[in-house]
Amino acid sequence: MIKASKKVLYIATKESDYLQDLTYFGLCQVLGQSNVIDFHWNSKFHIPRKMYPRNLGYAGLGFDLSNYKKIKQQIFRSPDWSEISCVFVAAAKPDCIALYLKISKNIPASTPVVFIDGGDFSAIGGDLLRLNCGDLLDSLKKARSFDFIFKREMLCDQKYAKNVAALPFSIRFDQMPDLKDEYKYDVSFWAVESDPIRTKALAMLENEFDCRENLTIRNQQFKKYARKGKFYLEELKRCKVVLNFRGVGWDTLRYWEVFGLSTFLISQKPNIVIPDEFIAGKELIYCKDDLSDLIELCEYYLKDTAAREKIANAGFLKAKESHSTEARCNYLLKTLRSSLGLELPLRSSLGLELPE
């Protein structure tokens, strides 16, 4: 067991990266914000500049705004390696990887380095190729090897090294609107056509139910969405049936948002590893991969209100227990304890230390 302080260094991208942001917030919940040192200081974690979902990592300043000296120390400090128990390289984004490569030789050999790959591609660091940064990927392979890797798009039918574990998105329950079940829409799928399965689904749906009226239609553009930020979540909550299909990656925010809102979900089955995954028929409904039963399932659960609401509630309870940001980070830290002997505390939402 590695005896260490509670402090971790969190090397992050300045760009939007949902897994990085959710994990940062979860680590702050579990370890305490003062023990999660973002490097370099990332304003979006501390200042409410963005609306949902660009604010998934926002955790507040974490220090007294009136203390100018303290502010300078927080923003401009360099790592004190004697107090760092673990380094997280939190995104497969060019600026994050470049910063890690710049300081990698300074990291003590005894300090484990953990890579959080929240990219859409199944290969480790594959998003660097998508972003035309193959040179960074080559440099990464020549640098110090990561001690452990958490992978969002960890495919069920692909083999990975022993030091790789799944880490899908999670749910920030504090950002989920608390609304009563006042239904406004029947069936919705508000999404861009980033995969052929989405195009097929929208072509089937746009003239069914109330889809055309609620804008479940072809050729949507993210920047022209009628529903954004908190209003988007409120509107999602007002749907009787929400649908989910893969985008560039299998893991979508929508998949988790629906559970966080206690709304009913029909989904394509994700082909990624999900720890403590939801149970089909009990906590969500899967449609067939060819969508041949999609319309029939929508019709059935629109009529059977009791079954629909029972499944939605069961999914919500499972999500609260196993898929909140806090639960996901307890899973992450437990995995690192088991694999690396890294002794970082696990904590419940009540601030109580959990058993190992």
Side-chain angles (χ1 to χ4, degrees), residues 16-27:
S16 177
D17 188 286
Y18 297 150
L19 185 61
Q20 166 194 275
D21 297 350
L22 287 163
T23 305
Y24 172 79
F25 184 77
L27 286 172

Side-chain angles (χ1 to χ4, degrees), residues 25-88:
F25 184 77
L27 286 172
C28 289
Q29 288 178 295
V30 175
L31 300 179
Q33 189 176 4
S34 62
N35 292 317
V36 186
I37 303 169
D38 46 312
F39 186 78
H40 294 302
W41 193 81
N42 198 323
S43 62
K44 68 180 180 181
F45 291 162
H46 306 286
I47 301 171
R49 298 168 48 232
K50 303 286 186 179
M51 67 178 184
Y52 185 90
R54 308 288 185 183
N55 65 346
L56 287 170
Y58 173 67
L61 281 173
F63 52 86
D64 184 2
L65 190 60
S66 65
N67 189 332
Y68 178 71
K69 185 176 180 181
K70 186 69 172 179
I71 294 173
K72 287 186 66 177
Q73 289 175 346
Q74 290 287 331
I75 294 177
F76 299 110
R77 64 178 166 173
S78 297
D80 179 353
W81 297 113
S82 67
E83 67 176 13
I84 302 298
S85 62
C86 182
V87 174
F88 288 95

Side-chain angles (χ1 to χ4, degrees), residues 26 63 164 246-247 266 322 342:
F63 52 86
V164 180
R246 68 160 297 159
I266 297 176
S322 301
L342 183 61

Side-chain angles (χ1 to χ4, degrees), residues 13 15-19 54 91-95 97 115 117-138 141 151-153 169 194 246-251:
T13 178
E15 300 174 29
S16 177
D17 188 286
Y18 297 150
L19 185 61
R54 308 288 185 183
K93 294 285 173 58
D95 61 332
I97 299 301
F115 182 33
D117 184 352
D120 288 318
F121 282 24
S122 60
I124 304 298
D127 266 31
L128 291 172
L129 294 176
R130 178 176 66 84
L131 298 169
N132 299 314
C133 293
D135 56 329
L136 278 177
L137 187 58
D138 291 338
K141 291 176 180 178
K151 182 69 180 159
R152 169 182 158 235
E153 290 290 304
F169 292 145
S194 51
R246 68 160 297 159
V248 180
W250 284 99
D251 199 17

Side-chain angles (χ1 to χ4, degrees), residues 89-291:
V89 182
K93 294 285 173 58
D95 61 332
C96 180
I97 299 301
L99 180 55
Y100 165 66
L101 291 171
K102 184 177 180 180
I103 70 167
S104 60
K105 292 182 180 179
N106 299 328
I107 302 172
S110 59
T111 302
V113 179
V114 176
F115 182 33
I116 299 175
D117 184 352
D120 288 318
F121 282 24
S122 60
I124 304 298
D127 266 31
L128 291 172
L129 294 176
R130 178 176 66 84
L131 298 169
N132 299 314
C133 293
D135 56 329
L136 278 177
L137 187 58
D138 291 338
S139 297
L140 200 56
K141 291 176 180 178
K142 296 175 184 177
R144 169 182 167 174
S145 298
F146 293 123
D147 295 283
F148 204 85
I149 297 169
F150 287 101
K151 182 69 180 159
R152 169 182 158 235
E153 290 290 304
M154 187 173 182
L155 300 184
C156 296
D157 53 4
Q158 185 170 317
K159 289 187 177 180
Y160 293 84
K162 291 183 179 179
N163 69 331
V164 180
L167 191 72
F169 292 145
S170 55
I171 306 163
R172 274 199 66 163
F173 279 95
D174 65 310
Q175 292 190 345
M176 296 294 109
D178 184 17
L179 300 175
K180 295 180 180 179
D181 293 333
E182 297 177 352
Y183 298 118
K184 184 177 176 182
Y185 310 109
D186 287 337
V187 178
S188 77
F189 181 55
W190 303 319
V192 297
E193 294 168 53
S194 51
D195 187 88
I197 193 71
R198 292 186 169 193
T199 301
K200 182 177 181 179
L202 287 168
M204 293 172 61
L205 289 163
E206 62 182 354
N207 292 314
E208 298 285 344
F209 312 110
D210 62 342
C211 290
R212 185 166 292 279
E213 290 77 14
N214 72 43
L215 300 181
T216 297
I217 54 176
R218 293 281 313 277
N219 302 314
Q220 299 182 62
Q221 297 180 44
F222 182 78
K223 64 181 179 180
K224 294 184 179 180
Y225 273 6
R227 305 166 178 91
K228 295 182 179 180
K230 184 179 179 181
F231 179 60
Y232 160 76
L233 293 174
E234 292 172 348
E235 289 281 86
L236 209 61
K237 174 68 174 173
R238 296 181 176 111
C239 299
K240 293 178 182 177
V241 176
V242 177
L243 305 178
N244 176 73
F245 308 97
R246 68 160 297 159
V248 180
W250 284 99
D251 199 17
T252 68
L253 273 186
R254 180 182 293 100
Y255 183 85
W256 303 100
E257 289 164 345
V258 177
F259 290 112
L261 294 165
S262 190
T263 304
F264 176 77
L265 179 67
I266 297 176
S267 178
Q268 175 188 28
K269 183 172 174 55
N271 187 36
I272 56 170
V273 179
I274 297 177
D276 200 9
E277 65 182 327
F278 296 97
I279 301 171
K282 180 181 178 182
E283 296 157 345
L284 84 168
I285 298 297
Y286 288 132
C287 63
K288 293 180 180 178
D289 290 338
D290 63 2
L291 308 186

